[in-house]
Amino acid sequence: MHRPQTHDPRPPRPAATLHPTPVRHHHSRLPIPPQLSTSLGHDAVGTPGEYGESILGALPRVGCVFADDHYWWWIVPSGSHIGITWPPSTTYAIGAVMRDPSWTATRPKPGRNHPRLIHSPMDGSPYTPPIPLYFLTCRLTGSSPRWSLGATG
């Protein structure tokens, strides 16, 4: 059966280009100061802001630390989540990528609070040692440390 052609009132679409506009996701990676080497890759552990000062004062060595309204973000070597269970009140960000929660608008709101660098180490390493950070966050949150000796990537 043949259908008669009808006129489409919409304006014609431009032809596809070889260089389409990239889709922008509102994810951003915490920026490590360029003078610090991230040869081990980097992830971030978010702890509730109320514990930030206590953790900062208790750790023997502190790497880069970022803070926003809710969390303090501690830079750790990549894979610091493998084989351990971080306390429920913490957030682990692989690649130190901060994502907007899925229920937020797709466009960032003006004046939105993004994590900002509040501490940078004096030497060439941006990392906070993950094991002392892990035990300290467990103690502060009242969680029992849990890990698996046989865990692999």
Side-chain angles (χ1 to χ4, degrees), residues 28-143:
S28 59
R29 190 171 198 190
L30 293 175
I32 304 302
Q35 70 273 18
L36 301 176
S37 170
T38 56
S39 59
L40 300 175
H42 64 286
D43 294 344
V45 176
T47 59
E50 65 199 68
Y51 301 130
E53 291 288 336
S54 297
I55 294 171
L56 189 64
L59 289 174
R61 185 198 184 289
V62 177
C64 290
V65 182
F66 294 80
D68 60 26
D69 285 342
H70 305 288
Y71 287 95
W72 281 36
W73 297 94
W74 309 83
I75 299 300
V76 294
S78 290
S80 295
H81 64 297
I82 297 172
I84 64 173
T85 303
W86 286 90
S89 61
T90 61
T91 300
Y92 195 91
I94 294 173
V97 175
M98 305 290 101
R99 292 184 173 91
D100 287 337
S102 61
W103 61 86
T104 61
T106 57
R107 295 180 191 201
K109 295 179 174 90
R112 184 173 176 172
N113 187 11
H114 292 284
R116 66 198 179 288
L117 184 64
I118 61 167
H119 181 271
S120 184
M122 294 301 203
D123 65 11
S125 174
Y127 306 116
T128 294
I131 300 303
L133 177 62
Y134 173 69
F135 282 108
L136 187 54
T137 57
C138 286
R139 183 174 62 84
L140 289 171
T141 61
S143 300

